[in-house]
Amino acid sequence: MLLKYSTGRLATAANGELNYEPNSFPFFSHAVCAWLGLRPAVGQHTSVEHATLVRLAAGHSRLVEIGVAEGVSAIALREGMNADATLWLVDPFHLSRVRALNFTRRVARRTVKSCGNGTVAWIEKFSQDAVASRKEPIDLPLIDGDHLEKSVLRDWQEWSRFIRAGGVAIFHDARVFAEGWCTPEYGPVKAVDHLFRSTSSGEWTIIEEIDSLVVVQRSESAARNAETVLASR
Ligand SMILES: C[S@@+](CC[C@H](N)C(=O)[O-])C[C@H]1O[C@@H](n2cnc3c(N)ncnc32)[C@H](O)[C@@H]1O
């Protein structure tokens, strides 16, 4: 069964596999219900994607997530990343009708806190504003914020220059797959098609495609060449 928006509870490991229950809480969709414990935090991704995020985070020390929602994908990254890693979480949590209460933000904070691995830095800003103060290189960004095509392209343009040679980037909701929810017209699908399928950049290669996730890797040599050209200017 497709598990988008249906992480009935956080992943539980059984027989070496992550298991989720489908969303059994259709009348408890508001984040206040998660805050009150009437339902668990809900991830907006499939169980297979969740396990993939845990796996891909392994071995990395500087991770960024753009678009946190209730924090379930963030916890996948946190669980998988190195023990000395930092995970920067970028989300303005602007969708709450009562900003002072902002239960999505509260649930996200509590969800992410439930794992003690590494360090988490919250950046409660739009990605386009957060990037202005970015200085550190990035091993792995997960791009899952504003889903308009132009916004995904903007996130890529502004954040990809921080990705180190050999680093990987993950786009969510970025490919059409069997029984999936994405269409060819969906913003992240169009952005990824435009960036990586219509022309070959040489610098970036698609290395994995799992459910709606598209994972690209920055080549070591092309990135070094780009750095050399920049340094010689
Ligand atoms: C699809 S949800 C993220 C789902 C989450 N990654 C998961 O898998 O559970 C999108 C989130 O992006 C946030 N968002 C929207 N526009 C954004 C922007 N420009 N920068 C950062 N976050 C943004 C929204 O507040 C929302 O929480």
Side-chain angles (χ1 to χ4, degrees), residues 4-5 42-45 53 65-74 90-95 104 125-128 142 144-147 151 154-155 172-173:
K4 179 159 167 83
Y5 298 105
V42 172
Q44 300 184 28
H45 51 273
L53 295 178
E65 179 176 48
I66 297 173
V68 181
E70 294 191 359
V72 181
S73 48
V90 182
D91 196 315
F93 294 108
H94 60 305
L95 299 173
T104 303
K125 293 180 179 174
F126 288 100
S127 56
Q128 60 271 35
L142 167 58
D144 195 16
D146 186 336
H147 283 41
S151 306
R154 182 198 60 218
D155 279 343
H172 189 246
D173 297 321

Coordinates of all heavy atoms in Angstrom, one line a residue, residues 4-5 42-45 53 65-74 90-95 104 125-128 142 144-147 151 154-155 172-173, ligand 1:
K4 N 2.1 7.5 1.4 CA 2.3 9.0 1.5 C 1.3 9.5 2.5 O 0.1 9.2 2.5 CB 2.1 9.6 0.2 CG 2.2 11.1 0.2 CD 2.5 11.7 -1.1 CE 2.3 13.2 -1.1 NZ 3.5 13.9 -0.6
Y5 N 1.7 10.4 3.3 CA 0.9 11.0 4.4 C 0.3 10.0 5.3 O -0.8 10.2 5.9 CB -0.3 11.9 3.8 CG 0.2 13.1 3.0 CD1 0.2 13.1 1.7 CD2 0.8 14.2 3.7 CE1 0.6 14.1 0.9 CE2 1.2 15.2 2.9 CZ 1.1 15.2 1.6 OH 1.6 16.3 0.8
V42 N 3.2 12.9 11.6 CA 2.9 12.3 10.3 C 4.0 12.7 9.3 O 4.2 13.9 9.1 CB 1.5 12.6 9.7 CG1 1.4 12.1 8.3 CG2 0.5 12.0 10.6
G43 N 4.7 11.8 8.7 CA 5.6 12.1 7.6 C 5.0 12.2 6.3 O 4.0 11.4 6.0
Q44 N 5.4 13.1 5.4 CA 4.8 13.2 4.1 C 5.7 12.5 3.1 O 6.0 13.0 2.0 CB 4.7 14.7 3.8 CG 3.8 15.4 4.8 CD 3.5 16.9 4.5 OE1 3.6 17.3 3.3 NE2 3.3 17.7 5.5
H45 N 6.0 11.3 3.4 CA 6.8 10.5 2.5 C 6.5 9.0 2.8 O 5.9 8.6 3.8 CB 8.3 10.8 2.7 CG 8.7 10.7 4.1 ND1 8.7 11.7 5.0 CD2 9.2 9.6 4.9 CE1 9.1 11.4 6.2 NE2 9.4 10.1 6.1
L53 N 16.2 7.6 3.3 CA 16.8 8.8 3.9 C 17.8 8.4 5.0 O 18.9 9.0 5.2 CB 15.7 9.8 4.5 CG 14.8 10.4 3.4 CD1 13.7 11.2 4.1 CD2 15.6 11.2 2.4
E65 N 18.0 20.1 5.7 CA 16.7 19.8 5.2 C 15.9 21.1 4.9 O 15.7 21.9 5.9 CB 15.8 18.9 6.1 CG 14.5 18.6 5.5 CD 13.6 17.7 6.3 OE1 13.5 17.8 7.5 OE2 13.0 16.8 5.7
I66 N 15.4 21.3 3.7 CA 14.5 22.4 3.4 C 13.1 21.9 3.4 O 12.8 21.1 2.5 CB 14.9 23.0 2.0 CG1 16.3 23.6 2.1 CG2 13.9 24.1 1.6 CD1 16.9 24.1 0.7
G67 N 12.3 22.3 4.3 CA 10.9 21.8 4.4 C 10.8 20.6 5.4 O 11.0 19.5 5.1
V68 N 10.5 21.0 6.6 CA 10.5 20.0 7.8 C 9.1 19.5 8.1 O 9.0 18.3 8.5 CB 11.2 20.7 9.0 CG1 11.3 19.8 10.2 CG2 12.5 21.3 8.6
A69 N 8.1 20.3 8.0 CA 6.7 19.9 8.4 C 6.8 19.4 9.9 O 7.3 20.0 10.8 CB 6.1 19.0 7.4
E70 N 6.3 18.1 10.1 CA 6.2 17.6 11.4 C 7.5 16.9 11.9 O 7.5 16.3 12.9 CB 5.0 16.7 11.6 CG 3.7 17.5 11.5 CD 2.4 16.7 11.9 OE1 2.5 15.6 12.2 OE2 1.3 17.4 11.8
G71 N 8.5 17.0 11.0 CA 9.8 16.5 11.5 C 10.1 15.0 11.3 O 11.2 14.5 11.7
V72 N 9.3 14.3 10.5 CA 9.5 12.9 10.4 C 10.7 12.6 9.4 O 11.5 11.7 9.7 CB 8.2 12.2 10.0 CG1 8.4 10.7 9.9 CG2 7.1 12.5 11.0
S73 N 10.8 13.3 8.3 CA 11.9 13.1 7.4 C 13.2 13.6 8.1 O 14.3 13.0 7.9 CB 11.8 13.8 6.1 OG 11.3 15.1 6.3
A74 N 13.1 14.6 8.9 CA 14.3 15.1 9.7 C 14.8 14.1 10.6 O 16.0 13.9 10.7 CB 13.9 16.4 10.4
V90 N 15.5 23.8 7.9 CA 15.0 25.1 7.4 C 13.5 25.0 7.1 O 13.1 24.2 6.3 CB 15.8 25.5 6.1 CG1 15.3 26.9 5.6 CG2 17.3 25.4 6.3
D91 N 12.7 25.8 7.9 CA 11.3 25.8 7.6 C 10.8 27.0 8.4 O 11.0 27.2 9.6 CB 10.6 24.5 8.1 CG 9.2 24.4 7.6 OD1 8.4 25.3 7.5 OD2 8.9 23.3 7.1
P92 N 10.0 27.9 7.7 CA 9.5 29.1 8.4 C 8.2 28.8 9.3 O 7.8 29.6 10.1 CB 9.1 30.0 7.3 CG 8.8 29.1 6.1 CD 9.7 27.9 6.3
F93 N 7.7 27.6 9.1 CA 6.4 27.2 9.8 C 5.4 28.3 9.7 O 4.8 28.7 10.7 CB 6.7 26.8 11.3 CG 7.6 25.6 11.4 CD1 8.9 25.7 11.8 CD2 7.1 24.3 11.1 CE1 9.7 24.6 11.9 CE2 7.9 23.2 11.2 CZ 9.2 23.3 11.6
H94 N 5.2 28.7 8.5 CA 4.3 29.9 8.2 C 2.9 29.5 8.0 O 2.0 30.4 7.8 CB 4.9 30.7 7.0 CG 4.9 29.8 5.8 ND1 5.6 28.6 5.7 CD2 4.4 30.0 4.6 CE1 5.4 28.1 4.5 NE2 4.7 28.9 3.8
L95 N 2.6 28.2 7.9 CA 1.3 27.8 7.5 C 0.3 27.7 8.6 O -0.9 27.5 8.4 CB 1.3 26.4 6.8 CG 2.2 26.5 5.5 CD1 2.4 25.1 4.9 CD2 1.7 27.4 4.4
T104 N 2.4 22.8 14.4 CA 3.3 22.1 13.5 C 4.7 22.2 13.9 O 5.5 21.3 14.0 CB 3.1 22.6 12.0 OG1 1.8 22.4 11.6 CG2 4.0 21.8 11.1
K125 N 13.2 30.1 8.9 CA 13.1 31.1 7.8 C 12.8 30.4 6.5 O 13.0 29.2 6.4 CB 14.5 31.7 7.6 CG 15.0 32.6 8.8 CD 16.4 33.2 8.5 CE 16.9 34.0 9.6 NZ 18.3 34.5 9.4
F126 N 12.4 31.2 5.5 CA 12.2 30.6 4.2 C 13.6 30.3 3.7 O 14.6 31.0 4.0 CB 11.5 31.7 3.3 CG 10.1 31.8 3.6 CD1 9.6 32.9 4.3 CD2 9.2 30.9 3.1 CE1 8.3 33.1 4.6 CE2 7.8 31.1 3.3 CZ 7.4 32.1 4.1
S127 N 13.7 29.2 2.9 CA 15.0 28.8 2.4 C 15.8 29.9 1.7 O 17.0 30.1 1.8 CB 14.9 27.6 1.5 OG 14.0 27.9 0.4
Q128 N 15.0 30.7 0.9 CA 15.6 31.8 0.1 C 16.2 32.9 1.0 O 17.1 33.6 0.6 CB 14.6 32.4 -0.9 CG 13.4 33.0 -0.3 CD 12.2 32.1 -0.2 OE1 12.4 30.9 0.1 NE2 11.0 32.5 -0.3
L142 N 18.4 17.9 1.6 CA 17.1 17.3 1.2 C 16.2 18.5 0.9 O 15.9 19.3 1.7 CB 16.5 16.4 2.3 CG 15.0 16.0 2.2 CD1 14.8 15.2 0.9 CD2 14.6 15.2 3.4
D144 N 12.7 19.8 0.0 CA 11.3 19.4 0.2 C 10.5 20.6 0.7 O 9.7 20.4 1.6 CB 11.2 18.2 1.1 CG 9.9 17.5 1.0 OD1 9.1 17.7 0.1 OD2 9.6 16.7 1.9
G145 N 10.8 21.8 0.2 CA 10.1 23.0 0.8 C 9.0 23.4 -0.1 O 8.0 22.7 -0.3
D146 N 9.1 24.6 -0.7 CA 8.1 25.1 -1.6 C 8.2 24.3 -2.9 O 9.3 24.1 -3.5 CB 8.4 26.6 -1.9 CG 7.4 27.3 -2.8 OD1 6.6 26.6 -3.5 OD2 7.3 28.5 -2.7
H147 N 7.0 23.7 -3.3 CA 7.0 22.8 -4.4 C 6.7 23.4 -5.8 O 6.6 22.7 -6.8 CB 6.0 21.7 -4.1 CG 6.5 20.6 -3.1 ND1 7.3 21.0 -2.0 CD2 6.5 19.3 -3.1 CE1 7.6 19.9 -1.4 NE2 7.1 18.9 -2.0
S151 N 10.4 27.6 -7.5 CA 11.0 27.6 -6.2 C 12.0 26.5 -6.0 O 13.0 26.7 -5.4 CB 9.9 27.5 -5.1 OG 8.9 28.5 -5.3
R154 N 15.0 27.7 -7.8 CA 15.6 28.7 -7.0 C 16.4 28.0 -5.8 O 17.6 28.4 -5.6 CB 14.6 29.7 -6.4 CG 15.2 30.8 -5.6 CD 14.2 31.5 -4.7 NE 13.6 30.5 -3.8 CZ 12.3 30.5 -3.5 NH1 11.5 31.4 -3.9 NH2 11.9 29.6 -2.7
D155 N 15.8 27.1 -5.1 CA 16.5 26.4 -4.0 C 17.8 25.7 -4.6 O 18.8 25.8 -4.0 CB 15.6 25.3 -3.4 CG 14.7 25.9 -2.4 OD1 14.9 27.1 -1.9 OD2 13.7 25.3 -2.0
H172 N 12.7 15.6 -3.1 CA 11.5 14.8 -2.8 C 10.3 15.2 -3.7 O 10.3 16.3 -4.2 CB 11.0 14.9 -1.3 CG 10.0 14.0 -0.9 ND1 8.7 14.4 -0.5 CD2 10.0 12.6 -0.8 CE1 8.0 13.3 -0.2 NE2 8.7 12.2 -0.4
D173 N 9.4 14.3 -3.9 CA 8.2 14.6 -4.8 C 8.7 14.9 -6.2 O 8.1 15.7 -6.9 CB 7.4 15.7 -4.3 CG 6.7 15.5 -2.9 OD1 6.3 14.3 -2.7 OD2 6.7 16.4 -2.1
Ligands
LIG1 C1 6.0 18.8 2.0 S1 6.2 19.6 3.5 C2 7.7 18.8 4.1 C3 7.5 17.3 4.4 C4 8.6 16.7 5.2 N1 9.9 16.9 4.6 C5 8.3 15.2 5.4 O1 8.7 14.4 4.5 O2 7.6 14.9 6.4 C6 6.8 21.1 3.0 C7 7.3 22.1 4.1 O3 8.0 23.1 3.5 C8 7.8 24.3 4.2 N2 8.2 25.4 3.3 C9 7.4 25.9 2.3 N3 8.0 26.9 1.7 C10 9.3 26.9 2.2 C11 10.5 27.7 1.9 N4 10.5 28.6 0.9 N5 11.6 27.4 2.6 C12 11.6 26.5 3.6 N6 10.5 25.7 3.9 C13 9.4 25.9 3.2 C14 6.4 24.2 4.7 O4 6.3 25.1 5.9 C15 6.2 22.7 5.0 O5 6.4 22.5 6.3

